[in-house]
Amino acid sequence: MGSETTPKLPLINFNDLKLETKSPNWELVKSQVYKALVEYGCFEAIFDKVSLELRKAIFDSLEELFELPLQTKLLNVSKKPYHGYVGQYPMIPLYESMGIDDANVFEKVKTMTNILWPHGNQSFSKTIHFFSDELTVLDQIVRKMILESLNVEKYLEEHMNSTNYLLRVMKYKGPQTNDTKLGLSTHSDKNVVTILYQNQVEGLQVMTKDGKWISYKPSSSSSFVVMIGDSLHAWTNGRLHSPFHRVMMNGNKARYSTGLFSIPKGGCVIKAPEEMVDEEHPLLFKPYDHVEFLKYYYSEKGQRDQNAMRTFCGTLIKV
Ligand SMILES: O=C(O)CCC(=O)C(=O)O
Ligand SMILES: [Fe+2]
């Protein structure tokens, strides 16, 4: 009786870490990061570099943004799926989102802000930019730790330079019922690393390798979820897991969340370095153009394909 514990994501503290200088606990945290990413493909990170003020401000900005009239939100268009405004999708009626490309670059954020608020909105642009900029540090610490753990630091510069940042901000309406409703369908992320943040309304669930759902419950307001996307799964030749996840909603409170996505730049070919391939680890995916893969993934066929990566560029070896 009562022996079953609720499964939880691994919890890792990044508070005393810096990117430039190695702190005494770097090696310890690095081993925790690597283990978590092999086993779960994600973890909860405690990261207080994003100040309390900024953590509050981001949700005020999100409320202000999603309160805009639909016609205004639709002005943020993008050729890339999920980089512009998304809403009113019949399959996921509770969900809407807005993408902000290069959110760590102030001028880019300002340009996008001016589309929505033609007279500008300083506090919105500043909040989005600062928040994204602080989080890029966490993204880079994690990626540096991964490359060090795999003894391939020699690729660090090339690896870091191969990505851009997208901030996607999201609102999930409460379904106004205690029955659980789908907020966002089951998927794995296609990018390199994702860093998620949410208000106090829960809903994110992550699938374990053996197919069980973990409901994410943040330990504090400085908790972020760090998650591996398919392109890093491919680059590490399968060593790091990219987990399926989804959002389930109930009740009447709106859930606001943000995702900072490091994304391979246009034209970038994802190819596992030779060090990642050996007898024990035969090559899982042929080198592939990330943008070409996205075209397949977002096609009608790709959207029905739970193993889109394997279909698109898997080798013949069974995995
Ligand atoms: O809202 C969330 O917490 C998750 C969002 C997500 O999985 C995504 O945008 O890829
Ligand atoms: Fe996701």
Side-chain angles (χ1 to χ4, degrees):
M1 187 189 84
S3 64
E4 264 196 34
T5 50
T6 319
K8 280 191 71 178
L9 296 185
L11 179 71
I12 306 180
N13 192 326
F14 285 78
N15 282 348
D16 301 321
L17 291 178
K18 289 200 173 56
L19 183 60
E20 304 79 25
T21 49
K22 276 206 178 164
S23 40
N25 55 345
W26 179 274
E27 292 301 318
L28 173 68
V29 176
K30 184 168 109 182
S31 65
Q32 294 171 342
V33 164
Y34 188 69
K35 188 169 183 283
L37 296 180
V38 168
E39 282 175 23
Y40 293 89
C42 69
F43 56 81
E44 175 180 345
I46 305 286
F47 185 65
D48 64 7
K49 192 167 192 308
V50 182
S51 69
L52 183 61
E53 197 191 340
L54 199 47
R55 282 182 258 139
K56 281 196 185 130
I58 192 78
F59 293 118
D60 292 340
S61 292
L62 263 55
E63 280 187 35
E64 190 184 354
L65 171 74
F66 286 112
E67 269 168 18
L68 288 170
L70 179 61
Q71 283 89 334
T72 308
K73 291 184 279 195
L74 285 167
L75 294 173
N76 181 29
V77 282
S78 173
K79 280 194 210 110
K80 301 178 201 159
Y82 285 92
H83 283 237
Y85 174 73
V86 168
Q88 331 290 307
Y89 281 14
M91 292 293 286
I92 42 172
L94 303 177
Y95 173 88
E96 62 179 322
S97 75
M98 188 73 94
I100 303 148
D101 274 317
D102 300 309
N104 57 320
V105 180
F106 185 67
E107 280 309 310
K108 294 283 182 95
V109 180
K110 214 171 127 189
T111 306
M112 186 275 184
T113 305
N114 287 351
I115 297 175
L116 302 176
W117 290 276
H119 301 294
N121 182 339
Q122 274 275 352
S123 78
F124 180 86
S125 329
K126 278 191 179 163
T127 303
I128 293 289
H129 171 251
F130 284 151
F131 181 79
S132 308
D133 206 38
E134 302 284 38
L135 279 188
T136 61
V137 176
L138 180 56
D139 169 89
Q140 287 170 23
I141 290 176
V142 170
R143 286 160 68 186
K144 188 169 183 194
M145 286 180 166
I146 294 170
L147 267 66
E148 283 184 12
S149 304
L150 295 167
N151 289 319
V152 288
E153 296 111 287
K154 68 174 187 191
Y155 298 114
L156 190 64
E157 217 183 301
E158 179 190 325
H159 173 71
M160 292 297 183
N161 290 338
S162 69
T163 56
N164 287 328
Y165 290 103
L166 163 78
L167 184 75
R168 188 155 65 223
V169 298
M170 294 157 273
K171 177 181 180 183
Y172 302 79
K173 268 189 287 194
Q176 315 293 327
T177 157
N178 287 332
D179 297 343
T180 303
K181 299 271 186 223
L182 188 69
L184 186 62
S185 322
T186 304
H187 65 283
S188 60
D189 290 351
K190 306 296 156 222
N191 53 304
V192 177
V193 168
T194 304
I195 302 179
L196 296 168
Y197 189 55
Q198 63 167 59
N199 71 346
Q200 59 294 340
V201 182
E202 288 162 15
L204 176 67
Q205 299 185 341
V206 181
M207 194 189 269
T208 60
K209 279 184 173 176
D210 57 2
K212 296 196 180 75
W213 286 109
I214 297 182
S215 295
Y216 168 59
K217 293 188 187 0
S219 313
S220 77
S221 75
S222 48
S223 290
F224 297 82
V225 171
V226 175
M227 191 180 280
I228 295 302
D230 289 346
S231 67
L232 199 48
H233 169 71
W235 195 85
T236 60
N237 198 21
R239 284 170 178 80
L240 300 189
H241 180 54
S242 57
F244 283 124
H245 53 286
R246 67 181 180 187
V247 174
M248 301 302 287
M249 292 291 298
N250 61 40
N252 41 28
K253 289 210 189 88
R255 177 170 187 270
Y256 290 93
S257 66
T258 66
L260 183 81
F261 299 82
S262 46
I263 299 188
K265 288 180 182 163
C268 185
V269 171
I270 314 290
K271 177 180 184 293
E274 57 186 22
E275 292 84 350
M276 296 291 97
V277 185
D278 55 34
E279 242 170 72
E280 248 180 85
H281 303 92
L283 185 69
L284 296 180
F285 304 101
K286 291 176 230 157
Y288 70 95
D289 182 310
H290 181 67
V291 174
E292 291 303 314
F293 168 60
L294 290 183
K295 281 186 197 155
Y296 170 68
Y297 177 68
Y298 286 111
S299 70
E300 217 177 292
K301 182 164 176 256
Q303 285 292 284
R304 279 184 273 112
D305 187 350
Q306 284 281 331
N307 286 308
M309 281 270 293
R310 259 188 257 171
T311 311
F312 186 77
C313 57
T315 58
L316 294 176
I317 300 149
K318 280 223 171 359
V319 287

